[in-house]
Amino acid sequence: MPIPIRIQDLTKTYRSKRGTVRAVDAVSLNIEPGELFFLLGPSGCGKTTLLRMIAGFITPNAGTIHFAQRDITHAPPNKRNTGMVFQSYALWPHMTVGQNVAFGLSVRKIDSQEKSRRVREALEAVQLADYADRKPNELSGGQQQRVALARALVIRPDVLLLDEPLSNLDAKLRADLRTQVRKICKDAGITSVYVTHDQAEALSMADRIAIMRAGRIEQIGTPADLYETPKSAFVATFLGDANLIDATVLEADTQSPITDPTAPTSATIFHARVATPIGEFVAKARRCWQDSARGQVVIRPEAVRVSTNASPSFIPARVLDAQYLGSRVIFRCEAHGTTLQVEAPPTSIDHQREIHICPDPERLVLVESDQTQNQPASAGNPSAA
């Protein structure tokens, strides 16, 4: 049976010449049984430190970690029954694929007949049953990563931990393996925690994501929830491209908040009418705002309609430059003194100098402004990556 993970006020500090650095700062989260849960954030945000505390490789200064009802905060790694998949495949070059996968079972003194059966099942799960007698250097990078995954699964762990397992692969192979790795993890039915800094990887694979910054969790939600209704400018810009426009609240939502039935987590959504340099809009928000409050409106480039024809609902804009990307054209344009990035299909529109744009009113989000969003997330210890 899959188990839940409960983390409460987990903290890890390091001493440096500049003083004490909080690599992980009072993090609390719940991971559901069988969930594929992602820790996402920039380098230095604390995601790998958090993963290594779950694995038992790093001892926290404060807080607790529970696997189901068992407190494993200070248990050694070999007493936690976790499987680990590293960024470097860490395969024994002198052993065959089958011997590499069987290594953890040999350490556990599993009898040879049972060991052979479980190795075969693990290799079948990663579609490498015919490669058992090959050496790792005879495999591609993607195949080696799947061997590392089979080795972690074969011991039947309670929790599977993956530390940027696809980062050493080229872009196309990473994209190809995302679906395979998700299917393997979900078919195994094991609670999995996956660390990455790749936004596309997290959006395409995760059940839920925790976005981290400077040792803290900025927001937790499903990929669609975080992308469509971020609560801060940092979350909005870290997950995909986003235009941020300064906004002043003209009229806050005075009615009771509504539950958005289209949101996977049934998020509570507020609304506010705001004034921006390009016009007045009604925007969604993750909290209730006060009249006259200042924030920023998030406008995704793909959430803007583009036309060559003037219309009362469209805003005139001057094209500054255009990038042809095959399936779409990215425009950088200026409207009422504000620079925006918008997307459009690759048509004759990409040769225009003047266009008209209209943000989708259903996808505007009011967020807290963040003056530090383009600064490094943490100046902490390198191990806080």
Side-chain angles (χ1 to χ4, degrees):
M1 286 289 292
I3 66 166
I5 301 173
R6 303 287 180 259
I7 295 172
Q8 186 66 41
D9 297 326
L10 204 63
T11 300
K12 181 62 186 178
T13 60
Y14 293 98
R15 293 189 178 278
S16 71
K17 293 180 180 179
R18 291 174 292 178
T20 299
V21 175
R22 285 181 174 263
V24 174
D25 189 1
V27 165
S28 296
L29 59 88
N30 296 328
I31 301 172
E32 299 302 320
E35 189 170 33
L36 180 52
F37 190 91
F38 270 60
L39 300 174
L40 176 67
S43 297
C45 72
K47 57 188 183 295
T48 294
T49 301
L50 178 54
L51 187 80
R52 290 179 175 269
M53 285 193 284
I54 297 172
F57 301 147
I58 296 176
T59 302
N61 297 94
T64 59
I65 307 169
H66 283 81
F67 287 179
Q69 303 304 315
R70 188 164 69 102
D71 186 343
I72 52 90
T73 310
H74 298 288
N78 64 331
K79 300 297 183 183
R80 300 189 182 205
N81 194 30
T82 58
M84 188 88 179
V85 181
F86 297 94
Q87 181 177 343
S88 60
Y89 317 127
L91 301 177
W92 298 103
H94 64 286
M95 293 182 179
T96 65
V97 166
Q99 290 168 339
N100 268 281
V101 174
F103 183 79
L105 299 177
S106 299
V107 171
R108 289 165 173 76
K109 303 188 185 308
I110 303 297
D111 70 75
S112 58
Q113 187 174 354
E114 174 68 6
K115 180 165 60 176
S116 297
R117 185 180 67 80
R118 285 166 64 171
V119 168
R120 184 177 64 255
E121 289 177 351
L123 288 174
E124 286 174 350
V126 298
Q127 300 179 344
L128 290 175
D130 296 334
Y131 294 77
D133 296 327
R134 295 194 187 185
K135 295 290 182 64
N137 61 7
E138 298 178 288
L139 305 179
S140 68
Q143 289 169 334
Q144 290 184 55
Q145 192 56 276
R146 282 186 282 156
V147 173
L149 187 54
R151 183 181 56 190
L153 293 172
V154 76
I155 62 172
R156 296 177 180 170
D158 290 329
V159 173
L160 180 64
L161 306 173
L162 304 102
D163 188 6
E164 304 207 44
L166 305 183
S167 62
N168 283 339
L169 306 176
D170 63 67
K172 186 178 186 307
L173 187 54
R174 279 204 310 271
D176 291 342
L177 279 178
R178 286 173 195 157
T179 301
Q180 294 181 36
V181 172
R182 175 175 168 81
K183 184 177 187 305
I184 291 166
C185 292
K186 300 304 289 183
D187 286 350
I190 299 170
T191 306
S192 304
V193 185
Y194 190 123
V195 161
T196 186
H197 63 270
D198 188 320
Q199 298 96 322
E201 205 167 285
L203 286 170
S204 62
M205 294 175 64
D207 291 326
R208 285 192 303 148
I209 302 168
I211 296 183
M212 295 188 66
R213 177 171 62 156
R216 296 186 176 185
I217 291 178
E218 191 83 3
Q219 189 174 350
I220 298 176
T222 66
D225 198 14
L226 296 179
Y227 189 83
E228 295 295 340
T229 52
K231 77 171 189 178
S232 68
F234 174 79
V235 174
T237 54
F238 193 79
L239 273 183
D241 296 324
N243 299 292
L244 295 176
I245 302 178
D246 291 339
T248 301
V249 176
L250 299 176
E251 183 180 5
D253 191 349
T254 57
Q255 300 178 355
S256 300
I258 63 169
T259 298
D260 182 359
T262 64
T265 54
S266 298
T268 300
I269 302 296
F270 297 83
H271 291 85
R273 187 165 62 88
V274 298
T276 77
I278 64 171
E280 292 185 10
F281 304 99
V282 174
K284 297 185 293 185
R286 297 302 297 262
R287 68 173 178 85
C288 185
W289 288 69
Q290 300 297 316
D291 291 356
S292 301
R294 294 182 180 274
Q296 290 181 304
V297 168
V298 177
I299 304 177
R300 297 288 185 189
E302 72 276 12
V304 180
R305 287 183 289 165
V306 180
S307 174
T308 56
N309 301 318
S311 172
S313 61
F314 280 68
I315 304 164
R318 180 171 61 91
V319 175
L320 302 177
D321 58 60
Q323 299 179 49
Y324 175 76
L325 298 178
S327 62
R328 66 194 191 281
V329 177
I330 306 294
F331 293 100
R332 190 169 63 89
C333 60
E334 184 182 59
H336 300 314
T338 299
T339 301
L340 298 166
Q341 181 174 295
V342 301
E343 291 186 11
T347 63
S348 58
I349 198 172
D350 61 330
H351 300 296
Q352 300 294 321
R353 290 291 112 204
E354 299 289 336
I355 59 175
H356 295 80
I357 60 175
C358 180
D360 183 348
E362 297 298 320
R363 296 188 63 186
L364 302 180
V365 185
L366 179 63
V367 299
E368 300 168 14
S369 61
D370 185 356
Q371 301 303 318
T372 63
Q373 63 186 321
N374 293 320
Q375 298 178 8
S378 171
N381 189 291
S383 65

